[in-house]
Amino acid sequence: MHATRPLGDTGMDITPLGLGTWVISGAGWQYSWGATDDADSIAAITHAVRSGINWLDTAPAYGLGHAEELVGRAMAELSEVDRPYLFTKTGLIWEPGDDRTGSPRRIMRPDTVRAELEASLRRLRVDHIDLYQVHWPDTGELFVYQGEAEVSANATPLAEYWQVMAELKKEGKVRAIGLSNHDAAQLDIAESIAHVDAIQPPFSAVNRTAATDIAWARAHGTGVIVYSPLQSGLLTGAFHSDRVLAPDDWRSGSPDFTTDLPANLALVDALRPIAARYDVSVAEVALAWATAWPGVTGAIVGARTPTQIDGWIGARELTLTAADLDEIATAITITITITITGAGTGPARP
């Protein structure tokens, strides 16, 4: 049995690493990672669970429901006792008439929240969701990843949609409720209405801006699941400056993989000596760093195949020393040979 951590006060104890399903959602939508093989995806899910991972993170927006469908199919291959906790989200939808190859809208109307939940239950083939999360704050407008979004006059206020989430919990349709991509001020508003069981911010050695939100969660007995701990693959150690991303891979237009790539790869190179000392992968060092942060319960890691999971799952057994953390902080903040990493913003050390 591998070590687990309590997810806030939900009563769920989760492994420090969980499997994310965005990367297996397939092609044909704007934030796709490119084409995937469904058989490989299902094999990755079952391999993760049989390797000791006890939770999966998904969302109806991933592949317009395809990721959830794959999770549901994978669950059918597992015995009841082996099935992991299932975490999904609500709030990114395509309205009637929208171009489904374009961006979804950030909408949290009570009717859409309930409709999305019922659709997720059908795709996942379950009668309740273990953790139901608001994907993004409602703006009523088209979703913009890694960019500012306008807020329309018809956006649903946070207090209204969080009340709906609390009602779903009372009804037993969901076990716990959480907020993803909400800042500390928004968390305060939600907490005044119903306890925030968990938050899900982006967090990695490159992107450390959520440190304030993580501190908020720690002070309020709220679980923290971080996403993109490998910065969308940058911190795996496998990415290099000459790699060309496919046009249907959303990362091809991201600053992390274009203008900021030299700084990010310099940070990766600084992690390699630490990985060599422990005989682990660079990805495992990056994941151990993220899960060492006070308040972080677990980190979501994506994989398309069982082999990819084997490349990072060892991070659950890796404990970085104070000296290791100091070394990484130095790599984040100062000159490495002739290159200043300047990798991201936020505190450099837990």
Side-chain angles (χ1 to χ4, degrees):
M1 173 70 82
H2 294 283
T4 58
R5 303 173 177 183
L7 182 63
D9 57 9
T10 64
M12 291 182 278
D13 293 330
I14 66 171
T15 48
L17 302 178
L19 183 68
T21 62
W22 181 7
V23 298
I24 63 169
S25 58
W29 66 296
Q30 184 163 345
Y31 296 101
S32 164
W33 292 65
T36 52
D37 181 274
D38 285 356
D40 285 343
S41 299
I42 293 172
I45 294 169
T46 55
H47 180 67
V49 175
R50 288 167 176 156
S51 297
I53 287 174
N54 76 346
W55 57 282
L56 307 178
D57 180 86
T58 189
Y62 300 159
L64 291 81
H66 190 57
E68 286 188 331
E69 290 169 351
L70 291 174
V71 171
R73 289 166 59 186
M75 293 306 98
E77 298 184 10
L78 298 168
S79 66
E80 189 69 31
V81 70
D82 290 332
R83 290 187 182 183
Y85 295 124
L86 299 182
F87 304 162
T88 193
K89 310 177 191 75
T90 181
L92 286 185
I93 67 173
W94 285 263
E95 293 272 72
D98 285 347
D99 176 6
R100 289 186 170 242
T101 62
S103 289
R105 297 178 185 274
R106 288 167 49 168
I107 295 174
M108 282 293 299
R109 295 194 311 266
D111 63 316
T112 61
V113 173
R114 289 183 174 276
E116 277 206 288
L117 175 61
E118 294 302 327
S120 290
L121 292 171
R122 287 194 299 272
R123 287 189 289 261
L124 293 169
R125 308 183 189 188
V126 294
D127 60 8
H128 76 281
I129 302 298
D130 293 302
L131 174 62
Y132 202 43
Q133 303 155 101
V134 179
H135 214 148
W136 289 83
D138 187 319
T139 63
E141 295 295 334
L142 292 179
F143 171 68
V144 180
Y145 189 60
Q146 294 185 330
E148 294 298 322
E150 296 293 327
V151 179
S152 72
N154 63 354
T156 304
L158 188 158
E160 184 176 335
Y161 64 72
W162 190 242
Q163 182 62 49
V164 175
M165 296 289 284
E167 290 169 3
L168 293 174
K169 182 178 176 180
K170 289 179 180 178
E171 293 166 12
K173 291 182 176 292
V174 302
R175 181 172 177 178
I177 52 177
L179 292 166
S180 179
N181 300 299
H182 287 63
D183 62 29
Q186 293 167 321
L187 296 175
D188 279 333
I189 295 171
E191 185 71 11
S192 70
I193 298 163
H195 181 52
V196 180
D197 292 318
I199 65 169
Q200 187 183 126
F203 191 67
S204 73
V206 170
N207 180 4
R208 305 173 304 280
T209 56
T212 300
D213 306 329
I214 294 170
W216 183 97
R218 191 181 185 199
H220 288 80
T222 293
V224 179
I225 295 170
V226 298
Y227 74 86
S228 292
L230 295 177
Q231 203 62 23
S232 303
L234 270 174
L235 298 177
T236 61
F239 208 90
H240 52 81
S241 59
D242 295 330
R243 181 175 171 183
V244 178
L245 293 168
D248 61 351
D249 187 325
W250 71 269
R251 297 175 297 173
S252 61
S254 168
D256 280 339
F257 293 83
T258 52
T259 54
D260 297 338
L261 185 60
N264 293 331
L265 292 182
L267 174 58
V268 170
D269 287 340
L271 299 181
R272 295 187 191 280
I274 301 173
R277 285 202 297 271
Y278 290 103
D279 192 25
V280 299
S281 67
V282 169
E284 286 166 330
V285 173
L287 291 172
W289 181 92
T291 55
W293 201 275
V296 171
T297 315
I300 300 167
V301 198
R304 298 176 187 231
T305 65
T307 301
Q308 288 184 347
I309 292 170
D310 292 337
W312 50 253
I313 199 168
R316 64 189 175 186
E317 311 293 347
L318 177 61
T319 300
L320 298 176
T321 65
D324 297 329
L325 296 172
D326 287 341
E327 186 174 341
I328 294 170
T330 298
I332 288 171
T333 56
I334 71 167
T335 302
I336 302 173
T337 62
I338 60 171
T339 304
I340 298 176
T341 67
T345 57
R349 193 190 188 289

